[in-house]
């Protein structure tokens, strides 16, 4: 018998609404509930998204609801929060985000929700882990999109620099979804061919790619989007639907998400982006891959940044 796929999205702004729309386009939900402090806005978004579903011939039910609707939901997506302002880092949003989350946490607890919790709200690594600890979610069922979007951007820039399709690029970023994230170039391959080996073999073309500049471009991407349009929304919505699909279809997808670490990579008391296996049980495995000395040092530094802000989050009132 087909399992009913119900998804609750907290926050009906740019990110939450586009998560819903992406799920409609991919057909990965039977029922989508939008929860927002502005009930009129969430109702309007739901009607608009329902129009799109009707045009696609998708029978998904989309409506504005409240936290009671989360009791029997399979997935909850946390997309609440204000947009990042021009010039801000994601970590600059911490205090405002934590205060907002403090109002939401008791409502999640009271709802009886027991499904998978996927958090997008920035700063992503910190907010997800803050909620996970407060609610008491198991780390396998509560994780953030983490460095997923950074990884999308890594693929894009490598594709632009090499001319090869993003479909042929494998790799990931680790650490914070933010300025300290680490592109793991040593593990990037192009359908099995090491990117670093290609750089050595083709010094006049791929070897001339400036990796430091590429990393700066990846980091600047979010700033540029915020400067240009006031938010980021489409890319992260694609990430959310990718993760939902991996869970619903038990894909055993190897993908970087931010999960609480309990000794993996030598880190504890922190949540950071690492490659994981995503399937019907959520984060089913954390893959520990060999890193270069530089990558390992930078990853630990990134974890230190996240850990310091987790400690700060606990003091926000």
């Amino acid at each position: 018998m087909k399992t009913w796929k119900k998804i609750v999205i907290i926050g009906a702004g740019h990110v939450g609404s586009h998560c819903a729309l992406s799920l409609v386009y991919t057909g990965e939900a039977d029922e989508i509930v939008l929860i927002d402090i502005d009930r009129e806005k969430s109702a309007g978004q739901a009607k608009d998204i329902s129009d799109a579903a009707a045009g696609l011939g998708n029978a998904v039910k989309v409506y504005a609801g409240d936290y009671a609707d989360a009791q029997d939901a399979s997935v909850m997506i946390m997309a609440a929060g204000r947009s990042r302002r021009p010039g801000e880092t994601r970590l600059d949003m911490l205090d405002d985000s934590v205060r907002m989350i403090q109002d939401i946490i008791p409502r999640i607890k009271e709802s009886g929700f027991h499904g998978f919790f996927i958090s997008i709200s920035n700063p992503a690594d910190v907010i997800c882990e803050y909620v996970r600890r407060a609610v008491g979610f198991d780390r396998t069922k509560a994780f953030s999109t983490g460095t997923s979007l950074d990884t999308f951007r890594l693929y894009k820039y490598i594709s632009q620099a090499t001319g090869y399709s993003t479909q042929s690029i494998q790799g990931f970023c680790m650490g914070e979804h933010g300025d300290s994230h680490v592109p793991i170039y040593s593990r990037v391959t192009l359908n099995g061919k090491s990117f670093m080996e290609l750089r050595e073999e083709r010094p006049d073309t791929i070897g001339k790619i400036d990796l430091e500049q590429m990393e700066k471009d990846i980091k600047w991407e979010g700033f540029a989007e915020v400067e240009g349009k006031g938010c980021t929304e489409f890319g992260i919505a694609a990430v959310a639907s990718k993760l939902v699909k991996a869970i619903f279809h038990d894909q055993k997808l190897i993908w970087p998400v931010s999960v609480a670490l309990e000794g993996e990579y030598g880190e504890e008391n922190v949540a950071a982006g690492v490659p994981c296996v995503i399937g019907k049980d959520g984060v089913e495995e954390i893959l520990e891959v060999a890193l270069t000395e530089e990558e390992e040092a930078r990853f630990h530094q990134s974890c230190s940044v996240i850990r310091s802000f987790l400690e700060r989050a606990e003091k926000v009132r």
Side-chain angles (χ1 to χ4, degrees):
M1 185 174 70
K2 182 177 180 289
T3 300
W4 188 256
K5 297 181 291 187
K6 180 178 180 180
I7 299 173
V8 166
I9 301 175
I10 301 177
H14 290 285
V15 174
S17 61
H18 278 102
C19 284
L21 185 62
S22 181
L23 290 164
V24 166
Y25 274 113
T26 57
E28 290 302 329
D30 299 306
E31 184 175 352
I32 299 173
V33 186
L34 296 176
I35 301 174
D36 198 279
I37 192 170
D38 185 342
R39 181 62 180 254
E40 187 175 349
K41 179 179 183 178
S42 60
Q45 295 280 41
K47 291 179 185 298
D48 200 1
I49 294 166
S50 292
D51 290 345
L56 293 167
N58 188 332
V60 61
K61 182 180 180 182
V62 186
Y63 59 96
D66 55 35
Y67 287 90
D69 292 301
Q71 195 277 331
D72 60 346
S74 302
V75 175
M76 175 182 287
I77 296 175
M78 173 64 75
R82 66 171 175 81
S83 296
R84 184 154 52 117
R85 301 182 183 114
E88 276 189 322
T89 69
R90 296 172 186 87
L91 292 174
D92 289 333
M93 303 168 67
L94 179 70
D95 289 13
D96 287 345
S97 294
V98 170
R99 291 190 185 100
M100 171 200 66
I101 291 296
Q102 287 171 343
D103 290 333
I104 293 174
I105 285 171
R107 291 171 170 81
I108 296 176
K109 287 182 176 180
E110 292 166 7
S111 74
F113 172 73
H114 56 278
F116 298 98
F117 178 80
I118 301 174
S119 187
I120 295 172
S121 301
N122 279 318
D125 310 278
V126 178
I127 293 301
C128 184
E129 182 61 4
Y130 183 88
V131 173
R132 189 192 72 80
R133 293 177 182 181
V135 178
F137 289 134
D138 187 274
R139 69 170 181 162
T140 63
K141 299 185 72 174
F143 49 93
S144 164
T145 49
T147 51
S148 293
L149 188 54
D150 308 278
T151 298
F152 276 1
R153 291 167 177 163
L154 176 68
Y155 290 178
K156 180 174 73 173
Y157 277 99
I158 290 177
S159 174
Q160 290 173 353
T162 63
Y164 296 125
S165 167
T166 55
Q167 299 285 325
S168 300
I169 300 167
Q170 298 83 39
F172 48 88
C173 295
M174 290 176 60
E176 177 203 0
H177 174 46
D179 290 354
S180 71
H181 85 264
V182 189
I184 308 300
Y185 290 121
S186 68
R187 290 289 162 178
V188 172
T189 61
L190 289 88
N191 268 356
K193 182 67 175 180
S194 166
F195 175 57
M196 300 307 283
E197 286 181 10
L198 274 173
R199 285 173 56 78
E200 292 179 2
E201 293 172 5
R202 304 181 187 181
D204 295 332
T205 53
I206 295 178
K208 288 186 175 180
I209 296 172
D210 187 335
L211 298 187
E212 289 187 10
Q213 184 59 50
M214 183 183 292
E215 184 173 346
K216 289 177 182 177
D217 290 341
I218 293 169
K219 289 180 179 179
W220 179 249
E221 191 85 349
F223 284 105
E225 291 171 14
V226 170
E227 291 282 347
K229 56 178 282 187
C231 66
T232 62
E233 53 195 319
F234 305 125
I236 198 63
V239 169
S241 60
K242 182 183 185 77
L243 294 175
V244 168
K245 183 177 182 179
I247 293 170
F248 284 164
H249 295 273
D250 193 23
Q251 288 184 331
K252 312 301 184 190
L253 175 72
I254 298 175
W255 190 252
V257 296
S258 183
V259 63
L261 299 177
E262 298 177 353
E264 295 87 0
Y265 292 96
E267 290 289 347
E268 292 182 316
N269 299 317
V270 72
V274 292
C276 297
V277 178
I278 310 296
K280 63 180 177 61
D281 296 317
V283 174
E284 298 184 348
E285 183 181 356
I286 296 174
L287 295 182
E288 293 191 70
V289 300
L291 308 176
T292 66
E293 288 186 10
E294 179 185 356
E295 290 167 347
E296 185 174 2
R298 291 185 60 196
F299 173 70
H300 289 311
Q301 175 57 33
S302 186
C303 286
S304 293
V305 171
I306 299 168
R307 188 181 292 105
S308 69
F309 277 86
L310 270 169
E311 292 170 356
R312 175 175 149 184
E314 297 293 343
K315 301 175 183 176
V316 174
R317 293 291 181 269

